[in-house]
Amino acid sequence: MAPSNQQPSKTLVTGVVVFYLVAALAMVMANKWVLNTTETPLFFLWTQLAIAAVLFVVSDALRLLPDRLTFDVKTCKGLVPMVSLNVIGLSFSNYTLKYVDASFYQVARGLVLPFTVLTSFVVLHTRPSLAILFACTLVTLGFFVGVFLDGTPISLVGVFFGVASSAITAIHSVVIKQSLNVVNGSALALSWYTNLLSAVVLAPIMLLAGESGGIVKLVFGMDELLVKEGAMTPLATFVWGSLITGALGFLMSIASLLSIKVTSPITHMVSSAVRGVAASLLGMWLFHDIITTGRASSIFIILLGSILYTWIKHKESQSSASSSRSHSPSPSSGQSSKNGSRRTSTGGVYERVKVEDVELGEKVKD
């Protein structure tokens, strides 16, 4: 497809940002809803991945995807690091949500940003500025405020899984760039292989983790006699939760294929803050979570540090672009680069940032 010279409309950008906001909230709440009633978090994750993979196959059969799906053993081997990190990261994330409140989930996974910056420095040798380090320190402070000053009993197991999943997410952000090279830069192929192979890898793991007994109890409804009259059975909750989250995961993958990028990280910065507050309020409403002063302060500090980080990176990228323009010759006004970025009359390139990249604050530089 030839790159377009036009910036995406504000309506389109707003629609994508709102979709990711709502979908991410729905994923967390639906996951918590199911995990409160099941003893098989890995089996729940497997059904989500399997449903997403099936939806890819159905969409391919109906010719709804821009490219045809393929399966190549050599490609599978090249994606081993990516799939391994995906399975571990998603498993730890599910365990985190199982052991902590929905409103505390953001706090438990609050170290994603500092770990991402650290991983970028160690692996990609990207030296952060003092302002970036200050923002990361602020986020880290918010995490410790939440853990030690929450005022309510919290699960240390849940906090451990939250920290571990945060570290895996940070490493994943680096590995995904290498994995895209394996599939010739196709986000569609990467999403397809990731969901399919993760489901295949997770199948024996959930059995080795001892979930076979819980799966049998769930499928054959052995706990249905303990359910209050009028309430949904654990199996019904599990099925509906799996369908909702599996479909949302698939739709989020497809949305990223549209290559719709926001013109500025500032736009998504606001939606991230809204999502953090909304997750806490929904946790109070749906699951009767208790929002203590310590927890509210922790969420506020983490959001403040994340917003500050995104703003700093935005300013630094603007400064870098200005420096590049001052040292580069000017081709023609309004010319677009091959990757779809807008080139100004002075020759500088403003690269639009993907929504999922902004979730981690900023794209990790090569």
Side-chain angles (χ1 to χ4, degrees), residues 109-321:
R109 282 179 46 85
L111 294 180
V112 171
L113 179 56
F115 278 142
T116 301
V117 174
L118 178 62
T119 303
S120 302
F121 174 71
V122 173
V123 178
L124 301 178
H125 308 293
T126 304
R127 185 183 297 274
S129 65
L130 289 177
I132 290 296
L133 292 177
F134 174 75
C136 290
T137 301
L138 200 59
V139 172
T140 305
L141 174 64
F143 169 79
F144 283 111
V145 167
V147 171
F148 293 108
L149 302 179
D150 184 71
T152 61
I154 59 174
S155 170
L156 293 181
V157 175
V159 173
F160 166 78
F161 280 119
V163 173
S165 65
S166 298
I168 295 298
T169 298
I171 300 172
H172 184 269
S173 68
V174 175
V175 174
I176 193 172
K177 297 174 71 70
Q178 302 170 345
S179 300
L180 277 169
N181 294 331
V182 178
V183 293
N184 298 319
S186 171
L188 170 65
L190 186 60
S191 297
W192 154 244
Y193 276 106
T194 300
N195 281 281
L196 177 64
L197 297 179
S198 295
V200 172
V201 171
L202 190 60
I205 293 178
M206 66 183 183
L207 297 178
L208 292 174
E211 291 194 357
S212 55
I215 294 173
V216 172
K217 288 174 59 178
L218 177 68
V219 173
F220 290 98
M222 295 181 180
D223 291 332
E224 290 186 7
L225 295 177
L226 303 177
V227 178
K228 296 180 180 179
E229 186 177 353
M232 290 185 68
T233 64
L235 180 59
T237 301
F238 186 93
V239 171
W240 278 108
S242 298
L243 290 173
I244 293 171
T245 53
L248 281 174
F250 168 74
L251 290 175
M252 291 176 74
S253 297
I254 295 300
S256 68
L257 303 178
L258 301 176
S259 296
I260 301 170
K261 302 176 181 181
V262 296
T263 55
S264 169
I266 302 300
T267 304
H268 198 70
M269 202 168 63
V270 177
S271 71
S272 296
V274 171
R275 190 181 70 185
V277 175
S280 301
L281 295 177
L282 284 173
M284 290 177 57
W285 179 46
L286 297 175
F287 307 112
H288 309 293
D289 293 352
I290 300 175
I291 307 296
T292 63
T293 303
R295 183 173 301 186
S297 300
S298 172
I299 294 172
F300 174 76
I301 296 172
I302 290 174
L303 288 175
L304 180 63
S306 301
I307 290 173
L308 178 62
Y309 171 86
T310 309
W311 181 77
I312 292 170
K313 291 295 290 184
H314 178 59
K315 289 298 182 182
E316 288 181 353
S317 64
Q318 282 187 330
S319 299
S320 177

Side-chain angles (χ1 to χ4, degrees), residues 65-110:
L65 302 178
D67 300 309
R68 298 307 306 274
L69 298 180
T70 59
F71 185 83
D72 180 68
V73 175
K74 184 177 179 181
T75 301
C76 294
K77 292 180 180 178
L79 294 177
V80 168
M82 167 77 172
V83 173
S84 301
L85 287 172
N86 190 61
V87 170
I88 297 172
L90 290 178
S91 299
F92 282 7
S93 182
N94 263 20
Y95 276 117
T96 302
L97 196 53
K98 180 173 178 60
Y99 288 109
V100 303
D101 294 340
S103 59
F104 192 78
Y105 179 70
Q106 181 173 342
V107 177
R109 282 179 46 85

Side-chain angles (χ1 to χ4, degrees), residues 26-83:
M27 287 281 284
V28 172
M29 296 305 151
N31 279 338
K32 184 60 178 175
W33 176 49
V34 176
L35 291 171
N36 280 344
T37 62
T38 184
E39 301 174 357
T40 58
L42 294 183
F43 179 53
F44 177 46
L45 176 59
W46 179 84
T47 59
Q48 292 174 317
L49 294 168
I51 289 172
V54 169
L55 289 175
F56 266 108
V57 173
V58 172
S59 299
D60 181 62
L62 297 176
R63 304 293 195 274
L64 299 178
L65 302 178
D67 300 309
R68 298 307 306 274
L69 298 180
T70 59
F71 185 83
D72 180 68
V73 175
K74 184 177 179 181
T75 301
C76 294
K77 292 180 180 178
L79 294 177
V80 168
M82 167 77 172
V83 173

